[in-house]
Amino acid sequence: MNVLIVDDETQIRRWLDVLLRKTDLPLDIVASCGNGREALEICRQQPVDIVITDIKMPLMDGIDLIRALKDEAPHIRTVILSSYSEFHYASEALKAGARDYLLKAEITVDGLKNVIGKVAAELEQEQTRVQEVHELKSTLNSHQYALRSLYFNELLRGKTLDEQEFGQKMETFRLRLKPKHIVLMLIRLDSALEEETNAKIRDIGLLDSAVLNIVDETLQSEVGCGGCFVCESGFYAALFNTRPTGERSLRESVQLYAHRIVSHLQTYLGISVSVGISLPAMDAASLPRQFEEAGEALNRKQFYGNKAIALYQDEQGAARTETVQWRDTLGELSLLLDRGQFIPAMQCVDAFLQEAERKKWLSGKEMRAFALEAVFLVQRARRTLKGASDSPSVQERDTPHDEIAEQTSFRQIKEWLLAKVKAGLTEAEAARHPYSEAIRKVCSYVQSEYASDISLQNAADSVHLNKTYLSELFKKETGVSFNDYVTQVRIDRAQAMIRSGETKMGMLAEQVGYPDGSYFTKVFKKMTGMTPLEYKQSHGVKN
């Protein structure tokens, strides 16, 4: 028990301190002070269970202190110190809420032990009752949460909605929720509970109750209605009613509610969550469809890995636009491959992927479909050049469907696709009719001298051709300009150096022919979509 001594006489405070320690009661004397005002401030700043206070003191007397504590901290028990001449004040203090009194002239260790011991026992009994009530409420809440989750999960699985039964259930669950104009939010833990290093609750059952309680309170505060329930381990669904309003206004409102939920769960429980939000529905009969919508939006978020809150309508609008665009990209890729323009073909795929990653349009299903079709187009180009009787390449003996199924994020599929396309185009390039001798020499010159100050004039001199004629011939045979070819060779070499981990990042630009490090970084990002450092981190290179 934490005890505070209040008396305007220093000697009395010291004397009481000594006597209290002699009682051998489990007490901790947290402080002592000379008036009621100081005592009240101490009680506001630290836990105090018992206050032993004099009556007559400057600034704030003992009776005013008792009254103030009764208003601000009714759990604190007070004991009055009085003299014979002040006994009528002691009577007034008892009426104000003091639990007992001590006559200064008659205080002994045994008498003090008796009075403080009774007050402490009373406090312990009260704390036990409070704990029992709390545990009973927790048990009832757990049962209610379980019944709530059972009912709503039945609705999600397609149980026929009975509006009268719905209303009765909401009364039983003490939820303000109507079966009209409903929005569903699907809330998911970003990682398993055992991996949440900052989680304040480690038991999944207790965590479920805490999440439901916090989401309920957030919805009541923000929307004035709604509730939450457990879908399955690590997944929660929140339902609330919306008022008919403009689409933009509604979207902004539900995003605000979702942000509040994410923030509160992080603050109070130390857990990170993501939220998928459905379209609003006219009635609760649409809950199964809304659950699928919220899940699809949530999966899109997970696929890109960086958007904590996703709305289904945002994802769908983007997806319709992107489906058209990735079909167009495949058509362009097919045309470039048919023309034998392999470097532009690689750039076509890379540019589309950078745009898709920036706008986050493709779903996981669409991304896999695009990647597989692109790989099959490249394999077709390779087979056409090597002849139908030629044995399959190493990458064609692989099973792209199985490989791509193992890639779970956009970044993983992107890297897998670029590697497949590059390998396939390299084989196709080697298989087709070779370049003229002059162009072969120029390519060999660039690949050996990429770290030096290469120029079109130097390359022309090396094969004894006019600079302008070489430029036109190079573009005609390779499908790419001389300068673009030099850039591609340098960036390819830079990527290889980064992956090997053998070159210091500060020396990288100069070793691939770029004296200006800032310009190199700019070119590298344009070609790869990442800075050199980001590329290094994405490949897990440590040194």
Side-chain angles (χ1 to χ4, degrees):
M1 294 290 174
N2 293 331
V3 178
L4 171 62
I5 301 172
V6 190
D7 196 293
D8 59 343
E9 295 185 41
T10 305
Q11 289 184 336
I12 295 293
R13 296 200 300 270
R14 290 175 179 170
W15 175 54
L16 279 172
D17 188 298
V18 171
L19 292 180
L20 284 169
R21 296 182 191 281
K22 289 183 177 181
T23 64
D24 293 327
L25 292 171
L27 305 175
D28 183 10
I29 302 169
V30 295
S32 63
C33 58
N35 62 72
R37 185 177 295 175
E38 290 182 35
L40 187 60
E41 192 60 34
I42 290 171
C43 291
R44 288 168 176 164
Q45 295 178 357
Q46 58 182 300
V48 174
D49 299 305
I50 301 173
V51 173
I52 303 174
T53 178
D54 192 12
I55 295 179
K56 287 187 175 182
M57 296 179 294
L59 299 179
M60 178 185 281
D61 63 25
I63 294 174
D64 286 340
L65 172 61
I66 293 169
R67 289 171 177 155
L69 289 175
K70 189 174 181 181
D71 290 336
E72 293 190 27
H75 65 281
I76 295 178
R77 300 296 189 266
T78 53
V79 175
I80 285 291
L81 293 172
S82 70
S83 60
Y84 290 113
S85 61
E86 298 172 342
F87 190 74
H88 62 289
Y89 291 117
S91 178
E92 186 178 350
L94 290 171
K95 291 178 182 178
R99 308 308 293 178
D100 212 330
Y101 68 92
L102 293 164
L103 291 173
K104 292 182 181 179
E106 298 182 356
I107 294 178
T108 63
V109 172
D110 290 339
L112 188 60
K113 183 176 183 178
N114 183 50
V115 170
I116 301 302
K118 285 194 297 183
V119 174
E122 182 183 318
L123 263 175
E124 288 178 356
Q125 290 177 354
E126 179 64 24
Q127 290 172 353
T128 299
R129 284 196 295 271
V130 169
Q131 181 64 27
E132 288 174 349
V133 170
H134 175 73
E135 290 176 356
L136 179 59
K137 287 183 177 179
S138 296
T139 301
L140 291 174
N141 281 337
S142 296
H143 290 162
Q144 188 187 76
Y145 287 152
L147 291 173
R148 182 199 298 189
S149 297
L150 179 63
Y151 175 69
F152 281 122
N153 276 293
E154 287 178 345
L155 293 181
L156 292 183
R157 288 192 292 269
K159 176 184 176 181
T160 302
L161 176 70
D162 182 308
E163 290 196 12
Q164 184 176 356
E165 180 191 23
F166 186 91
Q168 292 171 348
K169 291 287 187 182
M170 295 309 103
E171 288 185 15
T172 301
F173 302 149
R174 299 196 298 274
L175 290 180
R176 295 179 59 189
L177 184 66
K178 297 179 180 179
K180 301 289 184 183
H181 304 294
I182 290 179
V183 169
L184 184 148
M185 290 182 181
L186 186 58
I187 304 165
R188 180 185 58 206
L189 296 178
D190 283 337
S191 56
L193 183 57
E194 56 270 19
E195 298 173 5
E196 285 278 5
T197 56
N198 296 319
K200 299 177 182 179
I201 297 177
R202 291 292 172 183
D203 180 85
I204 188 63
L206 294 177
L207 180 68
D208 286 346
S209 296
V211 170
L212 267 55
N213 184 51
I214 289 173
V215 175
D216 280 358
E217 290 184 359
T218 303
L219 290 175
Q220 291 300 322
S221 173
E222 297 292 331
V223 197
C225 64
C228 186
F229 60 95
V230 179
C231 298
E232 57 183 89
S233 182
F235 285 82
Y236 311 89
L239 303 174
F240 57 92
N241 299 120
T242 62
R243 300 182 185 91
T245 183
E247 181 182 349
R248 180 177 177 82
S249 176
L250 176 60
R251 183 167 63 249
E252 291 173 350
S253 296
V254 297
Q255 282 184 299
L256 174 62
Y257 306 152
H259 277 292
R260 290 277 195 273
I261 289 171
V262 171
S263 174
H264 290 171
L265 292 177
Q266 179 67 57
T267 300
Y268 299 120
L269 299 181
I271 58 175
S272 173
V273 301
S274 299
V275 181
I277 306 172
S278 76
L279 294 171
M282 288 300 296
D283 57 62
S286 300
L287 283 176
R289 172 180 59 79
Q290 290 181 291
F291 184 69
E292 290 181 2
E293 291 173 352
E296 186 172 332
L298 197 56
N299 288 337
R300 184 74 63 90
K301 178 268 166 188
Q302 183 183 32
F303 186 56
Y304 289 98
N306 58 359
K307 189 179 179 185
I309 296 169
L311 286 82
Y312 178 75
Q313 60 262 44
D314 288 352
E315 307 298 343
Q316 286 303 102
R320 285 190 293 270
T321 302
E322 188 66 2
T323 299
V324 175
Q325 187 169 343
W326 72 261
R327 289 291 179 190
D328 290 344
T329 300
L330 288 172
E332 181 183 354
L333 175 63
S334 179
L335 186 61
L336 291 170
L337 292 173
D338 289 344
R339 292 173 177 172
Q341 296 178 306
F342 296 155
I343 292 179
M346 185 73 190
Q347 292 171 343
C348 170
V349 174
D350 190 42
F352 173 75
L353 291 176
Q354 289 186 42
E355 182 75 359
E357 186 170 22
R358 184 176 66 84
K359 295 184 176 179
K360 298 175 176 56
W361 281 344
L362 288 171
S363 67
K365 182 179 179 181
E366 290 166 334
M367 177 62 181
R368 289 182 177 88
F370 172 83
L372 286 172
E373 290 202 39
V375 168
F376 291 148
L377 286 174
V378 171
Q379 290 179 347
R380 185 191 68 183
R382 175 204 167 274
R383 286 195 300 271
T384 298
L385 287 169
K386 297 195 76 172
S389 61
D390 190 64
S391 60
S393 67
V394 173
Q395 68 164 346
E396 287 181 334
R397 287 195 296 270
D398 296 336
T399 53
H401 287 91
D402 293 338
E403 287 183 9
I404 203 168
E406 297 173 0
Q407 317 306 317
T408 59
S409 69
F410 180 92
R411 178 59 65 87
Q412 289 175 338
I413 296 176
K414 174 186 173 182
E415 292 182 356
W416 175 86
L417 174 58
L418 290 176
K420 282 286 185 183
V421 171
K422 187 173 183 178
L425 293 180
T426 299
E427 286 195 33
E429 180 65 44
R432 74 174 174 179
H433 186 74
Y435 298 146
S436 64
E437 183 179 359
I439 298 303
R440 290 202 307 274
K441 287 183 177 180
V442 168
C443 289
S444 177
Y445 169 75
V446 171
Q447 289 169 10
S448 63
E449 301 295 328
Y450 64 86
S452 62
D453 185 17
I454 296 177
S455 69
L456 179 61
Q457 184 63 63
N458 291 341
D461 291 344
S462 70
V463 291
H464 310 292
L465 291 176
N466 176 271
K467 181 175 74 172
T468 302
Y469 175 71
L470 175 61
S471 176
E472 294 174 354
L473 182 63
F474 194 93
K475 180 69 178 288
K476 179 180 178 181
E477 291 194 22
T478 66
V480 67
S481 71
F482 175 80
N483 286 337
D484 286 347
Y485 180 75
V486 172
T487 299
Q488 185 64 59
V489 169
R490 285 172 167 171
I491 297 304
D492 284 349
R493 185 55 186 155
Q495 288 176 297
M497 289 179 176
I498 292 172
R499 291 193 299 270
S500 72
E502 297 175 357
T503 303
K504 293 183 179 179
M505 297 300 288
M507 302 293 293
L508 184 61
E510 188 174 346
Q511 290 191 17
V512 294
Y514 289 97
D516 186 339
S518 298
Y519 180 68
F520 164 70
T521 299
K522 182 178 179 181
V523 173
F524 191 97
K525 185 168 185 179
K526 180 180 179 181
M527 296 291 290
T528 67
M530 293 178 280
T531 65
L533 183 58
E534 289 169 342
Y535 185 84
K536 177 181 179 180
Q537 293 170 342
S538 72
H539 284 77
V541 180
K542 301 298 182 182
N543 56 353

